[in-house]
Amino acid sequence: MELKRVVVTGLGALTPIGNDVATSWDNAVKGVSGAGPITHFDSSKFKTQFACEVKDFDPAKHFDRKKARQLDLYAMYALKAADEAIEDAGLENEGVNKNRVGVIFSAGIGGLHTFEEEAGYFALHGEEMGPKYNPFFIPKMIADIAAGHISIEHGFRGPNFATVSACASSNNALIDAFNYVRLGMADAIVTGGAEAAVYPAGVGGFNSMKALSTRNDDPKGASRPFSGSRDGFVIGEGAAALVLEELEHAKARGAHIYCEVVGGGMSADAYHITATHPEGLGARLVMENALKDAGMKPEDIDYINLHGTSTPVGDISEAKAIKEVFGDHAYKVNLSSTKSMTGHLLGAAGALEAIFSVKAITDGIVPPTINHTEGDDDPEIDYNLNFTFNEAQKRDVRAVLSNTFGFGGHNAAIILKKYEE
């Protein structure tokens, strides 16, 4: 069976550094941090009191009151990003067969706010009132419901489901979408991820694991991947969506083609529920698998968008894995962690970083890893690698590999390439 070529024809984003793709990308290139004091709840008693929140998002401008009651915030974010990507791709245009358009959308957690609100209400009042739950409790909470809402909203009747693999979730969604399209099971798929976990359970839960930075006096400087003083990740929120489309279908309808998707890899650390393998075995395998799937060699890659969360162990293992896989070419590749600006969007991270990878290809510029200061080094990290510290770097970006690693040892990597006839 001959596999079909798959291209990116639409982009959409709602992030801590911008409420659309253009603003988010512009701020990423400029090295703008989206971190600040938490506004979603009173965090004064929490170890971490800051996050990368979405800003100036008013649900009332996008959803009527009846619709808003049915949606957790994570699903609102998903619908907003998906709407932008669908409009960008022109998927609502006449002539598109909606039976052949699918939605594969992810969340690492899903409706955490809804769960916390409903479970908390029952804990406080259940004894005297009995099990009185909101009828929308389950439909608002479950991790697949964003994919369902996008499908319903736009009438897309192709493959429709969610992927859940913690922080690798949206890269897994992209890989699934890529495979469904190249196998001929859909003409186009709206894919990506959304997350809204900046709530007490999310922040408190990650705090109890000592996963989050506690640099409360310097939120904007807290996410500092690959720096010696890093002390944990900064939790973020938002959504990102891409339209993946079969090449001939896109050309036939005159769609704008951003780039081509050429490979995806998956692996497991098989090591620990939260920590990456210290020698980066799973990270190494997932990159090798992605390269093999794409039919590419390590020297074909110009930029790696790193998982790079700013955790003490994770950054070291990823850097080690890159040296193992890329050898001498590791020193010629640009590396950067855009989480230094957006924070960690958990189940939406891979999709947002895929968008930044697409833009790196189309604009010929690599976004930076911010917050590194001279001398703030980790003796276990090789600083001869080009982490693109603090300033964006212009270069011809022909191909990008984007990494995501999730709790449970889930690893997913995708490769995007400049489109050529």
Side-chain angles (χ1 to χ4, degrees):
M1 177 181 178
E2 185 180 350
L3 296 176
K4 299 177 184 295
R5 292 175 68 183
V6 182
V7 293
V8 178
T9 58
L11 304 173
L14 178 64
T15 81
I17 58 174
N19 289 11
D20 54 32
V21 170
T23 308
S24 298
W25 174 241
D26 184 55
N27 282 327
V29 170
K30 290 176 180 175
V32 174
S33 170
I38 290 171
T39 64
H40 289 333
F41 67 94
D42 179 4
S43 63
S44 59
K45 294 182 180 179
F46 286 71
K47 292 178 182 177
T48 296
Q49 298 165 12
F50 61 94
C52 285
E53 295 179 335
V54 168
K55 300 160 187 69
D56 302 318
F57 176 74
D58 182 2
K61 291 182 179 179
H62 303 280
F63 310 101
D64 62 39
R65 187 177 298 180
K66 181 180 178 181
K67 183 74 172 179
R69 286 202 304 269
Q70 300 174 22
L71 299 170
D72 186 88
L73 186 60
Y74 100 94
M76 293 183 184
Y77 289 166
L79 281 162
K80 169 65 172 61
D83 284 351
E84 183 185 358
I86 291 163
E87 183 178 358
D88 186 33
L91 278 187
E92 296 276 30
N93 294 351
E94 199 172 324
V96 174
N97 181 358
K98 292 189 175 183
N99 291 341
R100 298 275 301 166
V101 179
V103 182
I104 302 175
F105 221 81
S106 76
I109 299 174
L112 184 64
H113 180 223
T114 297
F115 181 83
E116 184 172 348
E117 190 175 67
E118 291 292 320
Y121 186 85
F122 178 70
L124 289 172
H125 305 290
E127 203 169 302
E128 70 260 23
M129 295 182 66
K132 187 177 181 181
Y133 284 91
N134 187 315
F136 291 112
F137 171 36
I138 300 300
K140 285 174 71 173
M141 176 197 71
I142 50 181
D144 70 299
I145 206 66
H149 278 295
I150 295 166
S151 169
I152 293 165
E153 187 81 15
H154 297 279
F156 297 146
R157 291 177 288 273
N160 182 261
F161 60 91
T163 55
V164 181
S165 50
C167 306
S169 294
S170 52
N171 248 8
N172 277 125
L174 289 168
I175 292 168
D176 278 2
F178 170 53
N179 284 328
Y180 273 66
V181 174
R182 69 172 168 172
L183 288 169
M185 299 172 72
D187 294 331
I189 291 184
V190 182
T191 185
E195 207 78 88
V198 184
Y199 289 111
V203 175
F206 282 120
N207 265 157
S208 69
M209 297 166 56
K210 300 182 179 178
L212 296 183
S213 170
T214 56
R215 199 180 287 265
N216 294 314
D217 58 342
D218 181 24
K220 291 188 182 302
S223 184
R224 45 184 59 218
F226 304 95
S227 290
S229 59
R230 65 192 185 282
D231 69 328
F233 73 83
V234 177
I235 192 170
E237 62 172 3
L242 300 89
V243 174
L244 271 52
E245 187 167 353
E246 193 270 321
L247 173 60
E248 296 305 321
H249 186 269
K251 287 167 66 175
R253 65 185 192 86
H256 172 71
I257 295 173
Y258 285 97
C259 68
E260 186 170 1
V261 186
V262 291
M266 293 173 281
S267 76
D269 275 5
Y271 172 72
H272 191 273
I273 58 170
T274 57
T276 56
H277 192 285
E279 298 303 317
L281 296 186
R284 186 171 74 198
L285 183 59
V286 77
M287 289 186 280
E288 291 171 344
N289 289 343
L291 288 165
K292 182 178 179 181
D293 187 47
M296 297 173 74
K297 299 175 182 178
E299 52 267 31
D300 294 326
I301 302 296
D302 299 305
Y303 168 45
I304 302 173
N305 187 294
L306 302 162
H307 183 62
T309 57
S310 189
T311 55
V313 175
D315 289 4
I316 293 171
S317 61
E318 187 172 15
K320 285 180 178 178
I322 287 166
K323 289 177 67 176
E324 289 284 339
V325 174
F326 287 86
D328 291 341
H329 187 65
Y331 299 97
K332 301 173 185 177
V333 178
N334 274 81
L335 315 171
S336 77
S337 171
T338 47
K339 288 185 182 73
S340 58
M341 297 167 284
T342 65
H344 192 352
L345 270 63
L346 308 176
L352 177 57
E353 288 152 19
I355 288 175
F356 289 155
S357 299
V358 170
K359 296 296 287 181
I361 291 169
T362 61
D363 293 10
I365 191 165
V366 174
T369 305
I370 66 169
N371 294 327
H372 183 73
T373 56
E374 190 174 347
D376 184 14
D377 294 345
D378 184 327
E380 293 194 61
I381 293 175
D382 183 353
Y383 290 97
N384 291 312
L385 296 169
N386 183 4
F387 290 103
T388 321
F389 281 132
N390 299 322
E391 289 187 13
Q393 184 177 328
K394 291 183 179 180
R395 71 173 289 171
D396 180 24
V397 180
R398 297 160 301 169
V400 182
L401 184 150
S402 181
N403 281 333
T404 51
F405 314 138
F407 282 178
H410 313 301
N411 305 311
I414 195 160
I415 298 179
L416 304 161
K417 183 182 177 183
K418 187 173 287 188
Y419 169 66
E420 297 173 344
E421 287 285 352

